[in-house]
Amino acid sequence: MHSMNSSLLTPDKTVTRRPLDAILAPRSVALIGASEKPGSVGRALWENLRGFSGRVFPINPRHASVLGSPAFPSLAALPGAVDLAVIATPALTIPAIVRECVAAGVPAAVIISAGFRECGADGAGLESRILAEARRGGLRLIGPNCLGVMAPPLGLNASFAASAARPGSVAFLSQSGALCTAILDWSLKENFGFSAFVSVGSMLDVGWGELIAHLGDDPHTQSIVIYMESIGDAPAFLAAAQNVASSKPIIVIKVGRSAAAAKAAASHTGALTGSDEVFDAACRRVGVLRVNTLEELFDMAEVLAKQPRPRGPRLSIVTNAGGPGALAVDALDAAGGELAPLSPAGTAALDRLLPAHWSHGNPIDVLGDADAERFARAVEIAMLEPASDGVLAILTPQAMTEPTATARLIKAAAARGAGKPILANWMGGATVEPGEKILNDAGIPTFKYPGRAARAFASMWRYSSNLELLRETPAPFPVSFGASGAAARGRIDEIIGAAHRAGRTILTELESKQVLASCEIPVVETRIGMSADAAVAAADELGFPVAVKLHSETITHKTEVDGVHLGVRDVAGVREAWRAIEQTVRAKVGEGHFLGVTVQRMIPPAGIELILGSSIDPQFGPVLLFGAGGRLVETIRDRALGLPPLNSTLARRLMEQTKIYSALHGVRGQRPVDLAALENVLVRFSALVAGQPRIREIDINPLLASADQLIALDARIVLHDAEVPDELLPKVSIRPLPRLADLPS
């Protein structure tokens, strides 16, 4: 638990204040654009601010008073210092107002006004002027184009919302002002409270990272929920989440899963949206729970605040009706959870408790005539099952059912505790409401529908699983690569430097394999045949059969120009392959692209074809890809994404996300792949990606995996242009980086 920050509770100038205290815990507020005009934003803001316990000043140069309070013509005319300026004037006026704030020593401002980058180039230019003025004096900004901010525990409502949020323990951050008003309306109906309620708008200055860091140290906040349209400063978001997620849940709903939704979000906020799959991978890595609906967003905020996290994915379901239990099972399976198996001892205990025709499995059907004691005792047995990680109790109000008494006994059973989460679905209306209240008051979350409850448990496990990755922190990255590190780094730099000096950004297949070999990633031996005779000599030396492939400094996808001949068995075949590739390349793409062929020994096809790759995401930098490889890689699309660097545990977790992972354990009589060796390859590959920022794209396809070997059969590396300065090269989002010297040998 974070320590209490007294600056939030007592506005004492001697207490050290944090950068965002001026926004979320101000001692005084000035409203620039305060108005008496009915229906205006300026009037709504002033009416809301008048409930603040600190000093508030309306500023309007055309009025001597606003709704009975003396008004001031400017910040300079105020009788005292101001922590927060709330600005609600036309967009064109705001650069000058921000300049005035800086001159008056105001530390922070909330810009309510719209008319900026969402309106095009002129609006974006206005934003640039505002930011330049703010940074001259260290002024921090929320917005523009936002609803405002609230700190309900402190009585601050610096927004134009129709109502103030109730105090509570959940911080809500949103990129949509309209959604803020809808959530606020819902929260008042449900008696749901907030520790902070922030409409971030366009995030010209203060972004997700600083808000998460501030709320992580806020004694009023137990969990942070975010509605996100664009990520903004991705490294800042990840760094803050890494620091806070282990102590306070961070739950995010981000729009833009589909291409159409991503486009809509970008046009709404004037920001670019990166790959949704990459965002998922980033959330997993830093302990953030991503959900799909607003319903889940607040469900999880409540559940994670009230119940212990599950240690695994296995759920026990106790129900007095078969149908709802089946619905819960379907939802659990779809969400990635599992049913817990019953132990012999647990089955025997239930046999003694329940009628002979109970379900004899999970879900545990206690039958429709179960009284409160039978139902609660079954829940208690389920909680004590060693293979169970949590319990869901589903009650339907049948003629013999005792919803209130059952809730009371389950509350007592939960208090005795097994350190596992317990959730409840009391189905029905007025009949079950007293029981629901008993459970909710006891910290046992209740749900209206069984599927919703089962999905909540699965999300709890996903959150627990994400938090485990926070402990997996690869060590810092040096220039060496083990005992021979300096030589390895030197070889890689030499290959990249030679390509740049030749004006190339594409490495040949042979050069790409040399880079991988320098990182001790096994590659198939490959020779260059600049002529047909040289290709034949290489094949004789390597031994037949061989693979003959296009050697080119410009073409990377060799199969698209018929540039791959496999299983060539004799000298005549090598000559024919050389001639056919030369003719096809010249016919399809012209002169200058054919530089000969590469020759490599054919590797027996027994094994599984994998792909291992990396490319640059515009927001998160280098991203790793692992999955099923071969020619159908883009059709099958069985892949998982992760952020470098990796260690062995992170590498295994990346592999586990794919369907091909199950085949690596051995299928149809094949022996399993050496998973430890495969982890080693992934870790080394990730270290190469993290430690060599000149690499823009890289893939190994296929990486052939069998019980006897792991070997890269083909490789491709694309570099950033030589003219790109080092400081502009994409950087990894996760810190710290691994030390190559610490990688497994």
Side-chain angles (χ1 to χ4, degrees):
M1 180 66 68
H2 291 272
S3 60
M4 182 78 72
N5 188 321
S6 59
S7 69
L8 293 177
L9 303 179
T10 56
D12 183 350
K13 292 184 179 180
T14 65
V15 175
T16 301
R17 288 170 61 79
R18 298 171 296 155
L20 298 190
D21 279 346
I23 296 170
L24 291 172
R27 295 161 296 198
S28 55
V29 180
L31 173 59
I32 303 171
S35 174
E36 292 185 339
K37 182 180 178 182
S40 67
V41 171
R43 176 166 179 150
L45 283 162
W46 179 242
E47 289 177 338
N48 287 341
L49 279 169
R50 288 203 294 180
F52 179 49
S53 57
R55 300 186 72 184
V56 290
F57 304 102
I59 294 182
N60 189 318
R62 294 192 298 273
H63 295 276
S65 65
V66 175
L67 298 178
S69 297
F72 300 87
S74 66
L75 287 169
L78 294 180
V82 167
D83 280 341
L84 178 65
V86 180
I87 305 172
T89 61
L92 289 173
T93 67
I94 293 179
I97 291 173
V98 169
R99 189 182 313 122
E100 183 184 353
C101 289
V102 169
V106 177
V110 175
I111 302 176
I112 304 294
S113 316
F116 295 95
R117 85 177 84 154
E118 72 276 9
C119 297
D122 289 344
L126 269 179
E127 284 193 1
S128 297
R129 290 168 53 196
I130 291 167
L131 192 58
E133 293 288 353
R135 287 185 172 164
R136 282 194 311 108
L139 176 72
R140 305 312 312 275
L141 299 172
I142 291 285
N145 191 14
C146 70
L147 181 75
V149 302
M150 300 185 203
L154 307 178
L156 174 68
N157 182 3
S159 80
F160 61 94
S163 304
R166 287 190 172 94
S169 61
V170 175
F172 178 58
L173 313 177
S174 174
Q175 214 160 359
S176 166
L179 185 68
C180 283
T181 60
I183 293 297
L184 182 59
D185 189 55
W186 164 84
S187 71
L188 296 173
K189 178 183 175 184
E190 297 291 326
N191 198 27
F192 193 96
F194 297 93
S195 58
F197 198 89
V198 182
S199 169
V200 299
S202 298
M203 293 196 304
L204 179 60
D205 175 34
V206 175
W208 305 119
E210 284 186 279
L211 286 165
I212 290 169
H214 178 93
L215 294 165
D217 198 37
D218 173 24
H220 301 294
T221 299
Q222 291 184 11
S223 56
I224 302 167
V225 299
I226 299 174
Y227 170 83
M228 182 183 293
E229 293 177 353
S230 62
I231 184 68
D233 186 342
F237 168 76
L238 296 181
Q242 277 183 297
N243 289 332
V244 173
S246 60
S247 59
K248 297 183 182 182
I250 303 170
I251 307 151
V252 174
I253 180 171
K254 183 178 183 294
V255 296
R257 283 194 178 273
S258 68
K263 184 176 180 181
S267 64
H268 180 55
T269 63
L272 295 176
T273 302
S275 164
D276 195 68
E277 291 176 274
V278 178
F279 182 76
D280 273 345
C283 286
R284 282 193 298 271
R285 183 66 181 270
V286 298
V288 170
L289 175 62
R290 184 179 185 184
V291 297
N292 297 320
T293 67
L294 290 170
E295 175 185 89
E296 289 179 277
L297 191 70
F298 289 98
D299 278 353
M300 297 316 301
E302 178 186 10
V303 168
L304 292 172
K306 290 182 176 179
Q307 287 291 306
R309 297 193 300 269
R311 299 185 184 95
R314 297 168 299 185
L315 178 67
S316 295
I317 300 172
V318 180
T319 178
N320 68 345
L327 289 171
V329 171
D330 284 346
L332 180 70
D333 181 69
E338 301 172 15
L339 281 177
L342 283 174
S343 68
T347 301
L350 291 166
D351 276 336
R352 291 191 294 270
L353 173 70
L354 301 176
H357 46 288
W358 73 280
S359 59
H360 290 86
N362 185 13
I364 301 166
D365 190 345
V366 298
L367 305 179
D369 64 348
D371 60 13
E373 187 172 347
R374 184 203 297 177
F375 198 125
R377 178 61 185 142
V379 167
E380 194 164 8
I381 292 170
M383 288 178 67
L384 296 174
E385 277 291 90
S388 176
D389 300 305
V391 175
L392 168 59
I394 302 174
L395 179 143
T396 61
Q398 301 178 45
M400 294 73 70
T401 307
E402 301 169 325
T404 305
T406 303
R408 194 173 291 115
L409 291 179
I410 288 177
K411 169 186 172 181
R416 290 191 288 273
K420 301 174 183 178
I422 178 168
L423 311 178
N425 165 220
W426 256 221
M427 299 186 73
T431 305
V432 301
E433 284 179 359
E436 281 184 314
K437 186 176 188 311
I438 289 169
L439 294 170
N440 285 322
D441 289 347
I444 300 172
T446 63
F447 299 83
K448 289 295 183 185
Y449 303 104
R452 184 171 168 183
R455 283 190 295 272
F457 173 81
S459 292
M460 293 176 77
W461 160 240
R462 189 154 44 91
Y463 173 67
S464 294
S465 182
N466 288 356
L467 287 185
E468 292 177 5
L469 297 185
L470 289 175
R471 305 187 192 97
E472 304 298 333
T473 307
F477 181 94
V479 294
S480 61
F481 200 134
S484 59
R489 174 59 64 90
R491 286 193 297 271
I492 295 171
D493 289 344
E494 183 178 338
I495 293 167
I496 291 175
H500 276 155
R501 287 190 296 275
R504 292 189 287 123
T505 57
I506 297 176
L507 300 188
T508 66
E509 178 187 352
L510 181 60
E511 289 170 331
S512 299
K513 287 178 176 175
Q514 289 171 340
V515 169
L516 295 176
S518 297
C519 299
E520 301 176 23
I521 295 173
V523 299
V524 63
E525 187 176 358
T526 302
R527 309 281 179 84
I528 294 178
M530 303 292 286
S531 66
D533 288 342
V536 167
D540 277 334
E541 199 171 322
L542 291 171
F544 290 98
V546 295
V548 181
K549 302 179 183 179
L550 168 66
H551 174 58
S552 174
E553 294 179 346
T554 56
I555 298 171
T556 60
H557 297 293
K558 296 179 283 293
T559 56
E560 294 179 1
V561 292
D562 300 325
V564 178
H565 290 239
L566 302 177
V568 179
R569 296 189 169 276
D570 52 33
V571 168
V574 173
R575 293 188 181 278
E576 173 56 27
W578 199 96
R579 183 193 61 79
I581 292 172
E582 179 189 31
Q583 290 181 349
T584 302
V585 170
R586 285 178 175 165
K588 287 191 173 183
V589 294
E591 298 289 337
H593 299 281
F594 176 79
L595 300 179
V597 298
T598 61
V599 181
Q600 61 189 52
R601 182 172 54 86
M602 283 295 296
I603 302 297
I608 296 171
E609 290 187 331
L610 303 172
I611 184 171
L612 185 55
S614 175
S615 60
I616 303 299
D617 179 83
Q619 293 162 329
F620 291 97
V623 178
L624 302 174
L625 177 147
F626 171 85
R631 290 190 175 189
L632 298 179
V633 62
E634 294 180 2
T635 302
I636 296 173
R637 293 180 64 84
D638 174 27
R639 66 188 192 186
L641 302 184
L643 299 183
L646 304 177
N647 61 14
S648 294
T649 301
L650 293 168
R652 181 67 66 99
R653 289 287 296 272
L654 183 64
M655 293 189 287
E656 288 171 351
Q657 296 171 45
T658 63
K659 296 177 182 177
I660 199 71
Y661 176 73
S662 61
L664 300 177
H665 291 82
V667 291
R668 296 186 177 179
Q670 290 185 341
R671 289 182 295 149
V673 169
D674 185 343
L675 291 177
L678 183 55
E679 287 172 9
N680 189 336
V681 169
L682 265 67
V683 171
R684 291 183 175 279
F685 184 85
S686 80
L688 170 64
V689 169
Q692 185 44 264
R694 286 282 161 192
I695 293 176
R696 180 161 64 91
E697 294 178 33
I698 176 172
D699 65 46
I700 304 171
N701 184 29
L703 174 67
L704 188 66
S706 68
D708 300 313
Q709 66 179 347
L710 292 166
I711 191 163
L713 301 185
D714 204 352
R716 178 176 74 109
I717 293 178
V718 180
L719 307 173
H720 291 283
D721 195 281
E723 278 69 45
V724 178
D726 289 347
E727 61 270 18
L728 295 183
L729 291 172
K731 298 176 177 59
V732 295
S733 295
I734 298 293
R735 298 290 199 277
L737 304 181
R739 288 194 307 148
L740 289 174
D742 290 344
L743 297 178
S745 58

